[in-house]
Structure formats: structure tokens, C-alpha cells
Amino acid sequence: MDIKLRDYMDADYHEFLEMVSSLYSEDLEGQPMNSTKVTSTINECKKNPQKVRIVILINNNEIIGYSILVYFWSNEYGGNILFIDELYVKEDSRSRGIGAYFLNCIEKMDNIVALQLEANTSNKRVLDYYTRLGFEVVGNTQLIKNKGF
């Protein structure tokens, strides 16, 4: 395995869109996804790279996944939290330690004090996986008010 991480490039668009579509077809509890949202995310990354980043996962020069990372300041934690908005590994590359490798790489970033992610409570396999990697459920409950996008 020769895993590399790099930032999204415009040439990745079609494959990135395909992977996002796959993620949302597997995760039926999430919000509906469409190409307009994907394009908005790409544009936000270009406009504010200090806030949003798309990372492409590569193995032997082949794209095998992606992650969308969002930085935000937390007074409670006293620094930047890196929110892993999405992490997707293609099905034929799963169960090979790629997710753990990716999380280990980003955990070493020196401009963050914590990593945060979310998982559907119905997906016990994913919850167990992230727990084994050191993530824990915190006492707060996340609430969101959708403006109807």
C-alpha cells in the first residue's frame, strides 16, 4: 500500500462527484446530495482554503477516496477543531487501514487541538470503528436548523 494525500484539483471533479454520490447512496440517513452542493463546496474550498479543504486519497496513483475537512475555532477547546465533514473510501479499498492511516495523518497537524466527526447512530460498525480509533461521544447533542436548501 502506497497511500498519499493531496488537495483536490479540478481534474478530479467527475471522480469526486461519483464518490460523493456513492457516499450518499450508502448513507440513506444523510441530507439529499446533488451536484450544485458539490460545486458550492469546491468553490468554497477555492475561496477559503483556510476554512475548507478537500483531500483526495490515492493508492498507487489511483484515487481511492476523499475527505472534506472544515476548520473552526472552539472557545471550549481553546483552539481550532478540524471537523471531518465527510470521509469516503471506495468499497474495493475498504478494510485495509486506509481510514485509520488518513486520520493518523491529519491528527498530526499542528494547527488543531481536536478532531471531530459525526456518524449515524444506526451504523454500529462505523461507530465501533471510530471508538476504537479514540473518538468518543461527548455529552453535547448537535442540533441544526436547516434553512431549506
Side-chain angles (χ1 to χ4, degrees):
M1 214 169 28
D2 183 28
I3 307 300
K4 293 191 178 8
L5 309 177
R6 69 162 169 77
D7 287 322
Y8 169 89
M9 299 183 300
D10 287 336
D12 300 326
Y13 178 77
H14 293 291
E15 193 157 3
F16 176 61
L17 181 60
E18 186 177 305
M19 290 187 293
V20 171
S21 297
S22 293
L23 172 68
Y24 281 82
S25 68
E26 293 174 19
D27 185 5
L28 300 177
E29 294 181 36
Q31 294 293 311
M33 183 50 59
N34 59 51
S35 62
T36 301
K37 289 181 179 181
V38 172
T39 299
S40 293
T41 298
I42 292 167
N43 290 338
E44 186 67 20
C45 288
K46 290 177 180 180
K47 190 167 63 174
N48 293 302
Q50 75 286 357
K51 174 182 158 188
V52 182
R53 183 177 175 202
I54 299 171
V55 176
I56 302 296
L57 288 72
I58 299 172
N59 185 23
N60 296 320
N61 296 316
E62 179 183 333
I63 294 176
I64 59 167
Y66 77 92
S67 184
I68 299 174
L69 306 174
V70 180
Y71 299 85
F72 68 93
W73 183 266
S74 170
N75 186 52
E76 181 178 358
Y77 287 88
N80 281 309
I81 292 180
L82 181 57
F83 179 67
I84 304 160
D85 185 43
E86 295 180 6
L87 174 56
Y88 178 80
V89 176
K90 289 181 178 179
E91 190 171 355
D92 60 350
S93 295
R94 293 179 189 164
S95 299
R96 296 183 184 174
I98 294 167
Y101 173 81
F102 172 77
L103 293 169
N104 186 49
C105 287
I106 64 170
E107 188 173 353
K108 293 176 183 174
M109 298 169 75
D110 60 2
N111 60 339
I112 60 171
V113 296
L115 298 176
Q116 180 181 0
L117 53 77
E118 61 186 16
N120 290 323
T121 55
S122 64
N123 193 338
K124 182 156 174 40
R125 181 176 171 260
V126 168
L127 288 172
D128 289 346
Y129 176 71
Y130 287 133
T131 301
R132 282 193 313 273
L133 293 176
F135 288 87
E136 59 186 346
V137 176
V138 294
N140 298 339
T141 297
Q142 182 177 353
L143 305 170
I144 193 163
K145 183 177 181 182
N146 191 336
K147 292 179 66 176
F149 296 105

